[in-house]
Amino acid sequence: MSVRTAVVGLGWAGRELWLPRLAEHPGFDVVGAVDPAPAAPDAAPGVPVHPAPDALTAREVDLAVVAVPNHLHAEVAAGLLRRGISVFLEKPVCLTSGEAAVLAAAERDGGATLLAGSAAPHRADVGALARLLPELGHVRHVDLSWVRARGIPQAGGWFTQRSKAGGGVLFDLGWHLLDTLAALLGPAGFTQVLGVTSNDFLGTGAWSAAWRRDEATALPAGDVEDTAWGFLVREDGVSVGLRAGWASHQARDVTRIRVTGSAATAELRCTFGFSPNRHPHAELTLTREGVTTTLPVPQEPIGTEYRRQLDVLAGALTDPGRRGRAAAEARTTVGVIEDFYASARRPHEQTAVPAPH
């Protein structure tokens, strides 16, 4: 039986990612959409479009895929959960630890299920890397990076306004990387978080993500970071280097995951997301005792990971063990991001010591 699904929010993600994939997937039946914009019905032909989520009821909708701007994620999802409608939230699930607690309470009160995650762990090349982990021995360190050449989303739009996005590239690309880390090694908290951020590219339109086809805006450039560097230590002792960048001086948009173990090191180089300025093809290598071997890795069309995510979503709805898990994992992830930003602010808040005369 198909999952009766509504898409809440018909911006880029709802319109370009979720509506077409849900419509073509045999496990889902799109029965409605929600967006207050007057032109919203044009984005979802043949689907009833409502101006507010209150129009959705648990009698008619099994699952709401929430694709609204970041600052509305927790509010919209919590309202749906309280009314007994299960919710799927892609990253970022929430913007604060307090919002994670609100989502957990709404899930309990409504008896519905909150599902969350990002598509990157469902990529075939990430799966190939995961299958190599037993050959690495004890995992000691992981390097995670996703750096674009030019990829700032709609400078001046909500993505670059801290009050609406929560932050910049760390909430955007960084959440994908942290989700991928948890998928590879299992979820865990962090005992140490050290981070720095910068925004050298944000105010220059030349560094925008033209491939997103965002509408022009007259708003200021934004007040978030476009680059984040971090060093983290998990509760299990694994250290993590993290780099996320919306823009850089490199030629292509490249994602790299390197896992170093006591017996060997595995590295995946590819490009997450939809940018056409990609690493030519996914490359997976294994290095042991000075010898590096290139291993076969599945190549697949861009965006396949989103359909694969839907393949497991319907089953997750019926799994009682999933209730409470998404909110708990989101609390861990957003807690890391909060600590990262606190670390990045700390040097700038210290009182300068006058130089001796």
Side-chain angles (χ1 to χ4, degrees), residues 46-115:
V47 176
V49 178
H50 309 284
D54 292 348
L56 305 180
T57 70
R59 293 189 304 275
E60 299 170 336
V61 177
D62 303 313
L63 176 69
V65 175
V66 174
V68 295
N70 292 0
H71 70 291
L72 298 174
H73 276 196
E75 175 186 342
V76 170
L80 291 164
L81 289 165
R82 290 190 192 102
R83 299 202 305 278
I85 300 174
S86 293
V87 170
F88 172 73
L89 269 175
E90 208 195 2
K91 65 84 197 167
V93 175
C94 53
L95 301 185
T96 66
S97 297
E99 288 187 350
V102 168
L103 288 169
E107 186 181 27
R108 290 192 301 269
D109 293 345
T113 300
L114 174 65
L115 301 172

Side-chain angles (χ1 to χ4, degrees), residues 184-339:
L184 289 172
L185 302 188
F190 291 80
T191 60
Q192 298 181 53
V193 178
L194 178 66
V196 294
T197 62
S198 60
N199 59 356
D200 298 326
F201 304 97
L202 193 64
T204 306
W207 303 93
S208 64
W211 51 270
R212 281 178 54 95
R213 301 188 301 278
D214 286 320
E215 295 180 3
T217 175
L219 293 172
D223 59 352
V224 299
E225 81 285 353
D226 57 46
T227 303
W229 299 80
F231 184 83
L232 310 89
V233 180
R234 286 170 37 114
E235 291 173 339
D236 57 10
V238 177
S239 58
V240 179
L242 178 69
R243 181 187 179 192
W246 274 338
S248 67
H249 299 293
Q250 63 191 38
R252 294 186 182 275
D253 300 359
V254 179
T255 306
R256 184 172 68 91
I257 304 172
R258 177 188 291 170
V259 185
T260 300
S262 58
T265 294
E267 180 172 332
L268 172 66
R269 291 177 65 88
C270 58
T271 302
F272 285 0
F274 291 86
S275 168
N277 186 32
R278 310 177 69 80
H279 191 64
H281 52 82
E283 297 174 352
L284 181 62
T285 59
L286 181 69
T287 300
R288 181 186 288 116
E289 297 182 359
V291 178
T292 298
T293 304
T294 300
L295 303 174
V297 59
Q299 308 293 331
E300 58 188 4
I302 297 173
T304 301
E305 62 269 30
Y306 285 86
R307 178 185 171 89
R308 192 172 291 120
Q309 191 173 22
L310 290 179
D311 289 342
V312 302
L313 197 57
L317 271 178
T318 62
D319 178 4
R322 295 299 293 258
R323 190 164 294 168
R325 187 189 306 178
E329 292 176 354
R331 185 181 293 110
T332 296
T333 301
V334 79
V336 171
I337 292 175
E338 288 172 332
D339 290 344

Side-chain angles (χ1 to χ4, degrees), residues 116-208:
S118 53
H122 298 272
R123 292 174 56 97
D125 48 16
V126 172
L129 173 63
R131 290 190 290 275
L132 273 182
L133 295 185
E135 300 187 37
L136 306 185
H138 295 288
V139 174
R140 304 302 189 189
H141 181 78
V142 180
D143 283 304
L144 301 163
S145 69
W146 181 0
V147 179
R148 293 174 177 165
R150 298 172 184 264
I152 297 174
Q154 193 185 18
W158 69 261
F159 250 112
T160 60
Q161 304 297 318
R162 187 172 300 277
S163 62
K164 293 183 171 60
V169 71
L170 193 58
F171 266 107
D172 185 22
L173 308 189
W175 195 296
H176 281 290
L177 294 174
L178 291 169
D179 269 3
T180 302
L181 176 68
L184 289 172
L185 302 188
F190 291 80
T191 60
Q192 298 181 53
V193 178
L194 178 66
V196 294
T197 62
S198 60
N199 59 356
D200 298 326
F201 304 97
L202 193 64
T204 306
W207 303 93
S208 64

